[in-house]
Amino acid sequence: MRVSADRDVCVGAGLCALTAPGVFDQDDDGVVDVLTPEPEPSQRPAARQAGGLCPSGAVRIAE
């Protein structure tokens, strides 16, 4: 799995960071930061869920 995020599309809702805090964070402006572009198997379900919850579609998950 590979995780990425389009920071230009991010609206700063923070659902990614709340759902998968080991994979995502937010910078000082509330914009998504990917902490772990290749999550461990234990982090993958939360990363997938975060991708589905992102209201702007900024979070991308490639299997």
Side-chain angles (χ1 to χ4, degrees):
M1 168 187 279
R2 181 95 177 137
V3 175
S4 61
D6 185 339
R7 293 176 47 85
D8 293 328
V9 175
C10 178
V11 295
L15 294 174
C16 57
L18 291 172
T19 305
V23 180
F24 302 100
D25 198 0
Q26 291 177 286
D27 67 13
D28 292 338
D29 294 322
V31 178
V32 63
D33 276 329
V34 176
L35 301 176
T36 311
E38 295 182 18
E40 297 295 322
S42 63
Q43 297 173 311
R44 292 176 186 170
R48 283 187 195 97
Q49 184 178 13
L53 291 173
C54 180
S56 67
V59 173
R60 298 193 183 119
I61 309 294
E63 296 290 341

